[in-house]
Structure formats: C-alpha cells, structure tokens
Amino acid sequence: MSNIPAELKYVSSHEWIRDEGDGTVTIGITDHAQELLGDVVFVELPEVGESFSSGDDMGVVESVKAASDIYAPIGLEVVAVNAELEDSPELVNSDCYGDGWFFRVRPTDASELEGLLDAEAYGELCESES
C-alpha cells in the first residue's frame, strides 16, 4: 500500500496538497502516482505568477513509462516552483512528499480546500483503482 500522510489533502487525479498556514499551499504528486509512473525523468512546471482554475493542466511529469498531466486541484496562483526538479526529477520518486514537491500556490478561494479528499478517502480511491 502506498504512503498516504494523514495531514495532507488529496484529489482524485493523485495530487497532494499541504496547507502551509501562511495563505499558501504546496502541491505535488502522491506516492501512489509516482509508483504508477515509474522512474521520473522530466518535470515541466508552470511559471511563477501564472493563474489556473480547478482542473486546468499546469504541467507534465514524464517517466520512463509514460507522461502524465499535472492538474490544478483548486483555483490558484503560482507563487513558487521547485527548481530542483529541473536537474533532479528523480526527487519525485525518492521523496514525493518532501523534496519532490512541485509548486507552492496561493488559492483564489481557500474554501475550495475543504472539498478535497482526506487520507482515508484517498486511500479508498486508490484501492478501488487497483
């Protein structure tokens, strides 16, 4: 079973969301997602300052097996991206909830965070997809 930290929120497209407590949230892909992708070889991230609506494509993760879009889990504005992934995309595999984060964003409507999946619901989703 994949690692699903209880303190994070999740979306069905396999992104995780961590509230940083300062009006921003950090987003990455889950352990389940990185396991399905295999060895990540490239990550394309948005530019700082770009805005997205919930469900918009924000970037791409490419692995030796497949390419997968990264979707905006909520309406947001990008305030930081993880530049380390440009030279070390394998961080997504080795530390998806830590050094392998994708971007930090400012939600356009923080109440959208309340509608995201908790760890238990996300775990059930992953099991139903197996």
Side-chain angles (χ1 to χ4, degrees), residues 77-100:
E77 178 189 348
V78 179
V79 297
V81 296
N82 187 352
E84 293 289 316
L85 297 180
E86 193 172 309
D87 293 327
S88 302
E90 67 277 3
L91 289 171
V92 174
N93 297 116
S94 63
D95 192 13
C96 66
Y97 297 117
D99 291 339

Side-chain angles (χ1 to χ4, degrees), residues 31-48:
D31 189 42
H32 179 75
Q34 70 82 22
E35 285 176 359
L36 291 175
L37 281 169
D39 294 336
V40 173
V41 296
F42 177 75
V43 178
E44 179 183 319
L45 299 174
E47 298 289 324
V48 171

